[in-house]
Amino acid sequence: MKILGIQVLRGPNIWSINRKKLIQMRLDLEDLEQRPTNLIEGFEERIVKLIPSMFSHRCSKGREGGFFERVKEGTWMGHVIEHIALEIQTLAGMDTGYGRTRQTKIEGIYNVVFSYLEEKAGIYAAEASVQIAEALINNHECDLEAHIQKLRELRELERLGPSTGSIVDEAISRDIPWIRLNKSSLVQLGYGKNQVRFRATMTEKTNSIAVDIACNKDETKRLLQDSAIPVAKGVTISNPEDLEDAIKKVGFPLVFKPLDGNHGKGATINVKTEAAAKEAFEYAKNYSRKVIIERFITGYDFRILVIDHQMVAAALRVPAHVTGNGQLTVQQLIDKENEDPRRGYGHENVLTEIIVDRDTLDLLAKKEYTLETIVPNGEIVYLKSTANLSTGGTSIDVTDLVHPQNIFISERISRIIGLDICGIDVMAQNLTQPLTENGGVILEVNAAPGFRMHLAPSEGLPRNVAAPVIDMLYPPGKSARIPIIAVTGTNGKTTTTRLIAHMVKSNGTRVGYTTSDGIYVQNTMLMKGDTTGPISSEFILRDPTVEFAVLETARGGILRAGLGFNKCDIGVVTNIQEDHLGISDIHNLDDLTRVKAVVIGAVKRDGWAVLNADNKYCIKIANDADCKIAYFSMDEKNPAIVEHCKKGGTAAIYENGYITIKKGDWKIRVDKVTHVPITFGGSVDFMIQNVLAATLAAFLCGYKIEDIRMSLETFIPSAAQTPGRMNIFKFKEFQILVDFAHNPDGFNGIKDYLKTIEATEHVGVISGTGDRRDEDIKETARIAAQMFDKIIICQEKYLRGRNQQELIDLLLAGIHEIKPDMEVTINNNGEDCLRYIIATAKSGSFITILSDTIDNAIHKVTEYLDKEFGV
């Protein structure tokens, strides 16, 4: 077997609109195409023995054991690998469950598709599943546990922490989109101007001064003490010379902890001697320049969580410990405790494995114990000086037991320090009595407190503490989204996108849009290039200045990684024509339709699909759409339009020279096409189609007819407004048209326009595109032969895997099929070619440069024009 490629799909895709995180592995089975599992001796027995947990896979049988039945009957190895990839992720704590395996049109080559939770782990699962399958086929040893452990490690490196993850999960449950902004815990909720950001449990509402105060335990204690909040008696020192005075002032027993520490790092409790105090001081100094020395308060360790100045949860925290049975050593008891299925690697389970460290050894030494000591029956041995879950501690929910006065104190503390989310550490006998009565004290106030102890306590009720965070960030009435219009299709995407964006701008809304020539916000290009994929979409949705997004969405990005957004308000499909066929398993227009339909699948149920009624493949998309449908057409008598409007539907039509909105039987004329500059006086049909699509989208957005009309009349075809789309440059003796038409449909559109142009000679500059089928390249050449008197081939670029002469030969073959005697000039140097064209241009000639055959053609033609007019 051979892995031909692995793609990570991060958004809605051709396999699933709802399952956005998928791995697509292209796999060549080679000789295994002729050897299903029932023909591989011993394969069934070996896979059952190695991964018995796969018995739960129901497969197409619909019952437990169904997958193993398929293996016994005989199934292909791609299907087996899909199931292995899913199961090893599940065994590593990432239960996913969705998979598909489909043979391509090439024998032996399959697309193996399965869901993932963490990207790098998903990629590893793809590679490892092939290795495991090969070991099973060849009856070789396979260290399955090593693969599972590697997946766990990758998961921990990539996954969001339990606190961050809980907030993201709550956002998802409320249909709030999210974007991870770095490899750690920085997350954006919402899009554009309606975004909010948070990191772990600090939000953009978190006051930076409050964080500084909370991080300075001495300052926190002083502020609380000044506000009559009970705190532990203590001092802060930085020099060992001050240690003796501090001990005298506070008195044994003591607690030592770094001033700027967290997660209990550097802390030592119940210090009773000067020697132990010196050691504890030096230990704390490893984590902070200053060390807090406090009176050790006996009692229990509690954590109270306050969000938006409201107490939402409280937990009793118990340090990691073991209980003796008179038979096992401390180490054996730790090993036994770590076998608890609730304990896991990192944050995978409710509890964390207990790791022996310096703190553990110090606590044992104080009891004159070692790891080899046999603990008496019933005796509890504490292994950590703090109760943090990350060090193996446990938690018991006590939210419902907190006394009202303690709730008042906690909420008051959050306002005194100024934190929107804070964890308050309390040492007291209980929380059922006021702290002022039972001698309890506040030990610390934590910015960015962990949520895991509340989300999944060892005992008691779990508390959804992420919900009040989302309530705070998105109170009722605040939207997390911005309007999104996604535009796809074969031809006309960029012009339609730009025209819609122009309409949005003209109505006073800050718009961000992506096109095949760059990313824009308002009138500023922020990134140049073909930016029609998911990364570019996300770029716009991350921008906090953007109020409205218009996203050109090309087939390549959808196939490569899925959509860059999970939902849009309007999806526009301009048309579906023959282009890019034969690439990425897209062999015909039905395949291409399936790709374009992904955009419509992402439209909200109450949103709109704007579809071309003159294109049967667009109508096919409408039949499967789960949203509202609106059509546009060049013919008001189009049967689809007639039927649609008869049912009260909305459409945009071209009738009697007008761009018209039709709702049921009502007609609303928007503008005469001769008044719309981009239609070139109504002479360019494909531009009229683009206008219809954009007008309909704007109307469905709620824009007024008069505002749409104004936008249409002010959208001027030019190198600035529509680069590479019908850009005409008028020289003194001739004219040059630059257009990026690159497929037969685009060439035909230009041909129809040139019929309206009177010229002494029509000259064309063309090239082929290497990643198109031979027939497509030849067809563009045939069309070129029909519309030009003279042709120049400039094959400077777009080779894409072919050699230059091969493309030239295909173009010549197509031209000579139509005009056998036509003389064709070949000049593959863009600079020389343009210089030759201008030098040999006849008076009254019309020169057309197609497919951007000359690099930076618009810029270079503009330079010649400036020289001619002395600019």
Side-chain angles (χ1 to χ4, degrees):
M1 286 183 292
K2 185 187 299 180
I3 297 175
L4 302 179
I6 296 175
Q7 293 170 251
V8 180
L9 307 179
R10 304 178 183 91
N13 54 75
I14 60 171
W15 300 101
S16 175
I17 296 297
N18 298 319
R19 294 176 178 88
K20 302 170 182 67
K21 298 170 72 172
L22 297 177
I23 296 293
Q24 178 179 316
M25 174 168 59
R26 194 171 176 84
L27 186 66
D28 186 351
L29 295 189
E30 298 179 315
D31 64 315
L32 285 168
E33 174 66 6
Q34 310 305 322
R35 296 173 65 203
T37 51
N38 61 327
L39 297 183
I40 301 172
E41 187 177 349
F43 184 85
E44 180 203 353
E45 292 79 5
R46 290 193 289 273
I47 193 170
V48 170
K49 182 179 178 181
L50 182 67
I51 321 176
S53 55
M54 289 174 74
F55 180 77
S56 64
H57 291 214
R58 295 173 175 269
C59 205
S60 57
K61 299 287 186 180
R63 56 179 177 269
E64 285 198 342
F67 170 68
F68 285 151
E69 289 181 43
R70 289 286 307 277
V71 171
K72 185 174 184 177
E73 293 167 1
T75 189
W76 273 260
M77 202 51 61
H79 180 217
V80 173
I81 285 167
E82 168 206 324
H83 281 265
I84 293 174
L86 289 170
E87 185 61 18
I88 60 176
Q89 288 184 90
T90 299
L91 293 172
M94 295 172 286
D95 195 0
T96 56
Y98 175 85
R100 292 287 183 273
T101 298
R102 297 290 182 267
Q103 186 174 15
T104 68
K105 293 187 178 178
I106 303 172
E107 185 179 358
I109 295 180
Y110 290 75
N111 284 317
V112 178
V113 179
F114 58 89
S115 51
Y116 68 90
L117 293 183
E118 305 302 334
E119 191 170 299
K120 287 182 181 176
I123 294 170
Y124 182 83
E127 297 166 342
S129 62
V130 174
Q131 294 173 28
I132 293 166
E134 287 178 331
L136 289 167
I137 293 164
N138 298 312
N139 196 14
H140 292 164
E141 285 295 319
C142 176
D143 190 346
L144 183 66
E145 187 53 42
H147 287 302
I148 293 169
Q149 181 58 26
K150 179 66 176 178
L151 282 168
R152 287 194 186 109
E153 292 168 3
L154 290 170
R155 178 201 67 203
E156 289 304 304
L157 283 173
E158 278 211 333
R159 77 188 301 187
L160 295 170
S163 302
T164 310
S166 70
I167 297 172
V168 168
D169 289 343
E170 180 65 22
I172 292 170
S173 74
R174 302 188 190 195
D175 199 29
I176 295 172
W178 69 286
I179 300 172
R180 191 170 183 174
L181 298 177
N182 65 7
K183 293 181 179 179
S184 299
S185 302
L186 183 61
V187 171
Q188 172 185 317
L189 299 179
Y191 289 151
K193 71 166 186 176
N194 290 327
Q195 66 178 266
V196 294
R197 296 177 185 175
F198 73 95
R199 190 202 320 258
T201 58
M202 283 198 296
T203 77
E204 61 182 36
K205 290 178 172 287
T206 304
N207 187 305
S208 61
I209 296 175
V211 174
D212 285 343
I213 292 170
C215 289
N216 186 318
K217 294 179 175 62
D218 202 32
E219 184 74 9
T220 300
K221 182 186 287 188
R222 187 186 62 75
L223 278 174
L224 296 182
Q225 200 165 22
D226 289 349
S227 299
I229 303 291
V231 296
K233 180 182 177 183
V235 296
T236 301
I237 65 171
S238 55
N239 298 312
E241 293 80 16
D242 299 327
L243 181 59
E244 187 176 345
D245 288 342
I247 293 171
K248 289 178 181 178
K249 187 173 182 178
V250 180
F252 289 119
L254 298 170
V255 174
F256 285 74
K257 54 188 176 184
L259 180 68
D260 305 319
N262 56 36
H263 299 298
K265 293 176 182 175
T268 308
I269 64 169
N270 201 15
V271 175
K272 296 180 179 178
T273 66
E274 287 191 16
K278 289 178 182 177
E279 190 174 340
F281 175 78
E282 292 302 325
Y283 181 48
K285 284 277 284 183
N286 292 328
Y287 296 88
S288 176
R289 192 172 61 85
K290 293 185 177 182
V291 176
I292 294 176
I293 303 174
E294 289 179 342
R295 179 79 174 180
F296 177 63
I297 307 295
T298 57
Y300 298 100
D301 186 343
F302 295 94
R303 163 65 64 81
I304 297 175
L305 180 65
V306 180
I307 297 174
D308 201 19
H309 310 303
Q310 300 288 317
M311 192 207 87
V312 297
L316 167 63
R317 302 192 298 173
V318 183
H321 63 279
V322 292
T323 303
N325 60 7
Q327 299 176 9
L328 300 179
T329 66
V330 173
Q331 183 64 64
Q332 289 171 331
L333 290 169
I334 292 172
D335 294 340
K336 185 178 179 182
E337 179 64 28
N338 283 338
E339 291 174 2
D340 184 336
R342 294 179 301 168
R343 293 194 182 273
Y345 182 82
H347 293 145
E348 71 179 347
N349 287 343
V350 174
L351 301 175
T352 301
E353 290 180 354
I354 300 171
I355 305 297
V356 174
D357 58 9
R358 177 196 178 280
D359 189 25
T360 307
L361 298 175
D362 286 350
L363 287 172
L364 291 174
K366 286 177 182 178
K367 293 177 66 68
E368 298 184 350
Y369 282 6
T370 70
L371 292 172
E372 303 308 315
T373 301
I374 295 176
V375 182
N377 188 43
E379 181 180 329
I380 296 175
V381 177
Y382 288 99
L383 303 169
K384 304 291 176 184
S385 56
T386 63
N388 297 81
L389 265 66
S390 58
T391 61
T394 57
S395 66
I396 301 169
D397 178 72
V398 295
T399 305
D400 296 330
L401 303 178
V402 182
H403 192 280
Q405 186 174 329
N406 293 336
I407 294 174
F408 170 73
I409 289 172
S410 301
E411 294 175 352
R412 186 164 173 258
I413 288 170
S414 75
R415 293 185 183 276
I416 291 168
I417 304 301
L419 288 170
D420 60 334
I421 301 176
C422 68
I424 301 167
D425 291 345
V426 180
M427 183 64 71
Q429 290 299 319
N430 58 66
L431 292 181
T432 58
Q433 296 175 288
L435 298 182
T436 51
E437 292 182 11
N438 65 14
V441 296
I442 306 302
L443 298 178
E444 291 182 23
V445 178
N446 298 274
F451 283 0
R452 183 162 59 136
M453 70 183 75
H454 309 294
L455 294 165
S458 312
E459 298 178 33
L461 291 175
R463 306 285 173 171
N464 181 8
V465 294
V469 176
I470 299 297
D471 291 340
M472 175 180 68
L473 297 176
Y474 286 103
K478 180 177 179 180
S479 174
R481 296 181 179 271
I482 60 173
I484 297 175
I485 297 179
V487 181
T488 193
T490 302
N491 294 315
K493 296 187 297 295
T494 300
T495 301
T496 303
T497 297
R498 283 181 165 276
L499 181 50
I500 294 171
H502 176 72
M503 292 173 172
V504 175
K505 280 187 289 185
S506 299
N507 281 274
T509 302
R510 186 179 296 275
V511 63
Y513 56 104
T514 62
T515 71
S516 58
D517 54 83
I519 299 175
Y520 298 79
V521 173
Q522 284 300 84
N523 301 313
T524 304
M525 178 187 276
L526 300 178
M527 193 175 294
K528 188 174 183 178
D530 187 347
T531 57
T532 55
I535 293 174
S536 304
S537 296
E538 192 172 282
F539 182 99
I540 289 295
L541 299 174
R542 287 201 318 261
D543 192 314
T545 69
V546 171
E547 299 171 328
F548 197 121
V550 186
L551 307 173
E552 181 179 344
T553 307
R555 146 213 157 278
I558 297 172
L559 290 170
R560 185 172 59 254
L563 297 180
F565 50 89
N566 63 353
K567 288 185 180 179
C568 59
D569 298 272
I570 296 177
V572 180
V573 184
T574 57
N575 48 65
I576 297 174
Q577 307 287 354
E578 291 192 349
D579 194 19
H580 293 100
L581 300 183
I583 304 169
S584 302
D585 299 322
I586 306 304
H587 298 284
N588 53 50
L589 289 178
D590 285 324
D591 293 338
L592 188 57
T593 300
R594 188 164 62 98
V595 178
K596 303 296 185 181
V598 172
V599 170
I600 302 306
V603 175
K604 298 175 182 176
R605 295 193 73 172
D606 61 348
W608 292 89
V610 173
L611 301 170
N612 187 343
D614 300 332
N615 185 283
K616 68 177 184 179
Y617 295 97
C618 288
I619 293 175
K620 184 177 179 181
I621 289 175
N623 294 334
D624 298 324
D626 190 23
C627 61
K628 295 184 283 189
I629 303 295
Y631 285 117
F632 63 93
S633 173
M634 295 288 286
D635 178 12
E636 68 171 313
K637 294 180 181 179
N638 179 311
I641 295 289
V642 173
E643 183 66 23
H644 181 66
C645 292
K646 188 186 293 184
K647 295 176 181 177
T650 303
I653 55 174
Y654 177 47
E655 52 87 30
N656 295 317
Y658 282 90
I659 301 296
T660 299
I661 296 293
K662 199 165 188 287
K663 290 188 71 175
D665 294 330
W666 290 84
K667 286 184 180 179
I668 309 168
R669 284 184 167 174
V670 180
D671 209 354
K672 206 166 187 176
V673 290
T674 53
H675 297 169
V676 181
I678 199 172
T679 70
F680 294 86
S683 64
V684 183
D685 283 355
F686 65 82
M687 282 298 190
I688 298 175
Q689 288 180 326
N690 295 337
V691 170
L692 288 169
T695 298
L696 184 53
F699 178 78
L700 296 172
C701 278
Y703 290 124
K704 296 177 181 177
I705 293 297
E706 54 267 33
D707 293 332
I708 297 174
R709 182 184 302 121
M710 182 198 70
S711 298
L712 293 176
E713 293 179 0
T714 56
F715 190 72
I716 311 299
S718 64
Q721 287 270 48
T722 56
R725 274 76 187 175
M726 298 292 292
N727 300 148
I728 297 177
F729 302 86
K730 295 184 178 180
F731 289 74
K732 291 177 182 177
E733 299 291 331
F734 55 89
Q735 296 182 67
I736 294 180
L737 165 66
V738 178
D739 192 276
F740 293 168
H742 57 277
N743 55 42
D745 190 61
F747 271 49
N748 276 322
I750 297 297
K751 185 178 79 168
D752 291 342
Y753 171 67
L754 292 182
K755 289 176 183 177
T756 69
I757 301 295
E758 290 188 11
T760 56
E761 183 180 50
H762 279 290
V763 179
V765 185
I766 67 170
S767 66
T769 305
D771 60 357
R772 302 307 198 273
R773 299 177 303 180
D774 289 1
E775 181 55 32
D776 296 330
I777 297 169
K778 290 167 72 174
E779 179 61 17
T780 58
R782 293 186 194 106
I783 299 167
Q786 295 169 38
M787 60 176 158
F788 298 128
D789 303 308
K790 179 180 177 182
I791 292 178
I792 300 149
I793 294 175
C794 182
Q795 194 64 58
E796 187 174 33
K797 52 183 183 175
Y798 297 136
L799 301 181
R800 299 180 185 176
R802 298 193 191 233
N803 65 60
Q804 195 177 60
Q805 192 59 48
E806 181 183 1
L807 289 172
I808 292 170
D809 289 344
L810 287 168
L811 291 169
L812 289 170
I815 292 167
H816 290 145
E817 278 185 36
I818 304 301
K819 294 181 179 177
D821 299 326
M822 189 176 202
E823 186 177 337
V824 180
T825 301
I826 297 171
N827 186 334
N828 295 321
N829 183 293
E831 292 278 358
D832 288 345
C833 185
L834 188 57
R835 199 178 302 119
Y836 167 78
I837 293 164
I838 291 174
T840 60
K842 295 179 180 179
S843 178
S845 63
F846 196 94
I847 301 162
T848 303
I849 301 174
L850 293 177
S851 303
D852 193 24
T853 53
I854 297 173
D855 200 23
N856 295 317
I858 295 172
H859 177 69
K860 290 171 182 174
V861 172
T862 302
E863 285 182 348
Y864 276 101
L865 191 64
D866 289 344
K867 288 177 184 176
E868 178 163 323
F869 288 95
V871 177

